[in-house]
Amino acid sequence: MIRMTLAVVHIHGRAERSPARGFWQDVVMLFTLREPALPDAPQIAELHVATWREAYSQLLPQDFFSDEHVQGRHRMWNHVLGNPREEWSIRIAESGGKIIGFAFFGPSVGPEGQELPRDRQLFSIYVAAERYGTGVGQALLDATAGDGPAMLWVAKNNPRAVAFYLRNGFEFDGAEQTDPGAAKIVDARMVR
């Protein structure tokens, strides 16, 4: 098992000198990255649903987050973690015993016969909203995809995610798709 503890300096807004205290107002946030195990599946599934609510609620139908949807995420993560594959790279970020982010990277997939622009794909990377800007997402990307060639699909309506991927060398290649269950979310493919 790989364990990595990171201390990330997070400055709310811009750092300002505190006249009352006379020092910089920095908040240090500690988190650990590790490979998940099957017992982590429920917490990852709940975070997966929560992060979708945070990022896409305004684009999804009112009844999207049904019990069936939530149970589907639980089944998915139980299957993924219960049937690990050597070619997958999955990492979680934890802080205070709570999973605050995850990333899933592996061989690219697409429709039968379709030629894909890269052999490796970032399937998902999500971080709890209260941890945005703390370096958790960057650490997860670095630990799974590194800086090598890869592809991913990103919601065009998610400017935070698009900016993150652009900063990490990904570019749009013109391919787009829509999920039948989330018609207002147009995914665009990015490659590097």
Side-chain angles (χ1 to χ4, degrees), residues 150-168:
M151 62 175 268
L152 59 87
W153 292 93
V154 62
K156 286 173 54 175
N157 318 60
N158 189 340
R160 175 180 284 281
V162 168
F164 173 76
Y165 295 128
L166 288 170
R167 278 192 314 274
N168 279 281

Side-chain angles (χ1 to χ4, degrees), residues 72-118:
R73 290 296 181 206
H74 280 269
R75 285 190 300 275
M76 180 193 115
W77 283 106
N78 277 313
H79 176 77
V80 167
L81 297 180
N83 300 283
R85 294 172 49 185
E86 189 174 307
E87 63 269 22
W88 288 345
S89 179
I90 305 170
R91 297 291 181 275
I92 57 174
E94 291 181 306
S95 182
K98 180 181 173 190
I99 296 174
I100 58 171
F102 65 89
F104 184 8
F105 184 75
S108 296
V109 295
E112 185 76 29
Q114 180 186 36
E115 190 170 322
L116 298 170
R118 300 291 185 267

Side-chain angles (χ1 to χ4, degrees), residues 174-191:
E176 294 185 358
Q177 65 184 12
T178 303
D179 183 333
K184 288 186 180 179
I185 299 178
V186 177
D187 289 327
R189 190 168 61 199
M190 298 182 83
V191 297

